[in-house]
């Protein structure tokens, strides 16, 4: 949850709930290893501005019209995380969460063709770490909570209603 990594003192008076991506405001993060970092500091060092960039990504948006649709997408994301996690280039992301052994285990399983079993290694907590999860009527708040305005663009499922897409666009 990016909101949990919001630096507790360097962003005052900003909070995750009143920060807007692409606003040009300088923000600081504090990872679980107690390292603080600020995107704008690096941009300033290069003579660039936050407005010069669009930050895309943030993870998965797991949503649907009802709980059954959300659960189905949640399982699809679980499979994707297992696949990505088996690839060494994604291990630093796992390591940042303290899951060093998970990537290695998934890689070993992929070499043995144990694709279905790999999915079972991905806990709900791991899926939630990379996802905003909720029905269409809940997903706006879930996105705010999970991604805390840290990205400008997220990929939404193609089943997302047009009015919800417009609502989410209006928040940015």
């Amino acid at each position: 949850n990016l909101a949990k990594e919001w630096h507790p003192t360097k962003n005052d008076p900003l909070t995750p709930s009143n920060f807007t991506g692409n606003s040009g405001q300088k923000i600081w993060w504090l990872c679980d290893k107690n390292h603080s970092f600020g995107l704008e500091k690096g941009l300033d060092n290069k003579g660039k501005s936050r407005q010069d960039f669009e930050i895309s990504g943030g993870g998965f948006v797991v949503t649907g019209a009802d709980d059954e649709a959300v659960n189905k997408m949640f399982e699809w994301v679980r499979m994707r995380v297992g696949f990505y996690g088996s690839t060494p280039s994604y291990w630093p992301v796992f390591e940042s969460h303290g899951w060093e052994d998970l990537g290695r285990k998934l890689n070993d399983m992929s070499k043995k063709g144990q694709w279905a079993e790999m999915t079972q290694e991905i806990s709900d907590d791991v899926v939630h770490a990379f996802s905003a999860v909720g029905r269409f009527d809940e997903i706006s708040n879930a996105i705010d909570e999970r991604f805390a305005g840290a990205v400008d663009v997220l990929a939404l499922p193609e089943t997302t209603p047009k009015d919800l897409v417009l609502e989410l666009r209006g928040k940015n």
Side-chain angles (χ1 to χ4, degrees):
N1 183 330
L2 283 178
K4 289 181 182 174
E5 294 181 9
W6 189 263
H7 198 288
T9 59
K10 290 188 176 183
N11 294 310
D12 194 36
L14 292 175
T15 65
S17 61
N18 69 9
F19 173 76
T20 304
N22 207 22
S23 66
Q25 295 169 302
K26 294 184 180 194
I27 54 170
W28 286 88
W29 305 96
L30 184 66
C31 76
D32 61 357
K33 307 266 191 273
N34 212 31
H35 301 123
S36 67
F37 55 96
L39 171 65
E40 280 70 17
K41 182 177 180 185
L43 293 173
D44 288 346
N45 289 343
K46 298 292 183 186
K48 303 287 184 181
S49 162
R50 172 65 177 89
Q51 287 92 353
D52 295 332
F53 296 89
E54 179 177 82
I55 297 178
S56 177
F60 297 98
V61 177
V62 178
T63 192
D66 54 33
D67 291 337
E68 182 179 345
V70 171
N71 291 338
K72 182 177 179 181
M73 181 168 282
F74 192 90
E75 293 308 314
W76 180 83
V77 169
R78 185 187 312 274
M79 183 268 307
R80 299 302 310 161
V81 171
F83 172 76
Y84 291 137
S86 72
T87 307
S89 60
Y90 285 90
W91 292 354
V93 178
F94 277 23
E95 290 168 2
S96 73
H97 292 277
W99 304 323
E100 295 84 359
D101 295 336
L102 180 58
R104 289 179 196 74
K105 182 174 187 177
L106 293 168
N107 182 262
D108 183 59
M109 293 174 80
S110 73
K111 291 174 181 176
K112 295 175 182 173
Q114 297 174 324
W115 300 101
E117 294 86 352
M118 286 169 50
T119 298
Q120 296 169 10
E121 295 297 318
I122 306 303
S123 70
D124 288 358
D125 288 342
V126 171
V127 177
H128 279 283
F130 299 112
S131 308
V133 180
R135 295 182 314 267
F136 291 146
D137 64 323
E138 302 168 325
I139 200 63
S140 179
N141 289 335
I143 289 170
D144 288 345
E145 182 180 308
R146 175 60 191 88
F147 300 116
V151 297
D152 302 315
V153 178
L154 284 170
L156 298 171
E158 62 185 35
T159 58
T160 307
K162 185 176 181 177
D163 60 330
L164 178 55
V165 172
L166 294 173
E167 174 192 331
L168 293 170
R169 270 193 202 147
K171 291 179 110 182
N172 195 7

